[in-house]
Amino acid sequence: MTTVERALRLAGENPGGPVPCPVCAAGVKGANLERHLAKVHGGTAGADESRWGGPERIGSRWLLGLALVVAAAAAGFTVSSGKQDDRVVLGAIGVLAVAMIVWAAVAWGVPLFPGRLRVDGRGAVLRHSLGLGRRRLRPVDRVVLGSAWEGRPSAVSGHDASYESVDVRVGTYLQLCAGRRRITVHCRNAGVVRTTWAGWEQGRKRKRLDITLDAAEFVALQLALWELGVLAARAAGGGDGDRP
Ligand SMILES: [Zn+2]
């Protein structure tokens, strides 16, 4: 079943409630979705129903961890051999510096590592770290919803050159959970998640995000979770706004 077919089925079951448009992510009254798709989007073929791609943030954490291991090994070599080889020391410092720059850039939302997320009846799989790593949940047993944040460097204050960071709201996250394992999926402009769905838990604000999807893919993920029974359609009129 394609994402558009899923959305139309949800609209049929919930004609008075808000249904997220699978193309533009706007909240559309269920009864009007088919017309909205035809009129606004000129009718659309279904996208891939269970695989989505977007920048992930796990690869940069692995890279930083690896660089710390290299630096520790270089320090250990220098101490145990008793001779200071500048190439080893400078090399380790260079590796660590590059890893920290990459990690910080990714934490501020620079899309350096492409990730792939798949959600179907077998569970969820996030492929990360340039395809070398994968995190698997099977099956997804609950969903947590909350606000996503990024720490950004603020202007250097005064002449003491202190470096402060301010937290900036960057949209919404849906966290897929299976026991203690979790995949945190982020979207910058998520639209009507809270008013569309029931069955999720409210989560705290989070800065540790695993993958970012665009609005249409984020809707497709929600519809896939609905089909799996992890999310339920919220009855019409039961909305409490889209603010946390
Ligand atoms: Zn639309």
Side-chain angles (χ1 to χ4, degrees):
M1 183 178 283
T2 69
T3 296
V4 169
E5 286 167 347
R6 273 186 196 137
L8 289 170
R9 211 182 86 206
L10 173 65
E13 288 182 15
N14 200 12
V19 174
C21 169
V23 181
C24 68
V28 180
K29 199 174 160 192
N32 299 336
L33 180 66
E34 195 159 6
R35 200 173 50 202
H36 169 90
L37 283 170
K39 211 170 134 188
V40 179
H41 305 300
T44 44
D48 193 345
E49 64 276 18
S50 59
R51 286 164 197 266
W52 310 285
E56 57 90 0
R57 304 188 184 198
I58 301 174
S60 64
R61 291 180 216 140
W62 278 37
L63 186 65
L64 185 58
L66 199 63
L68 288 168
V69 170
V70 168
F77 170 79
T78 302
V79 168
S80 66
S81 68
K83 56 176 196 264
Q84 188 171 335
D85 186 333
D86 286 350
R87 285 168 304 177
V88 171
V89 173
L90 293 177
I93 290 172
V95 166
L96 195 55
V98 168
M100 286 180 78
I101 289 165
V102 168
W103 174 82
V106 168
W108 299 339
V110 179
L112 293 177
F113 291 84
R116 303 284 301 164
L117 177 68
R118 194 190 74 210
V119 175
D120 57 27
R122 289 168 290 170
V125 181
L126 174 63
R127 293 181 64 95
H128 59 81
S129 304
L130 308 174
L132 296 173
R134 67 183 62 186
R135 188 183 298 174
R136 192 185 297 272
L137 312 181
R138 56 179 143 195
V140 178
D141 53 32
R142 63 202 170 86
V143 169
V144 176
L145 178 64
S147 60
W149 296 71
E150 279 171 359
R152 299 264 169 80
S154 66
V156 174
S157 60
H159 50 265
D160 58 353
S162 69
Y163 209 55
E164 288 174 27
S165 121
V166 282
D167 287 353
V168 184
R169 171 105 197 246
V170 290
T172 303
Y173 72 81
L174 263 179
Q175 193 174 53
L176 315 178
C177 306
R180 297 187 59 80
R181 295 179 69 81
R182 47 196 65 187
I183 297 172
T184 307
V185 186
H186 163 232
C187 182
R188 292 187 192 280
N189 40 1
V192 291
V193 186
R194 285 165 198 283
T195 46
T196 305
W197 306 109
W200 46 269
E201 298 166 22
Q202 176 64 50
R204 61 180 174 80
K205 80 180 210 184
R206 287 189 72 88
K207 289 202 278 186
R208 199 180 172 94
L209 312 167
D210 294 329
I211 184 170
T212 300
L213 298 183
D214 69 24
E217 294 193 319
F218 202 60
V219 168
L221 168 65
Q222 293 157 43
L223 290 164
L225 292 168
W226 167 67
E227 193 172 76
L228 293 172
V230 184
L231 287 174
R234 182 184 276 262
D240 59 359
D242 203 30
R243 291 280 129 209

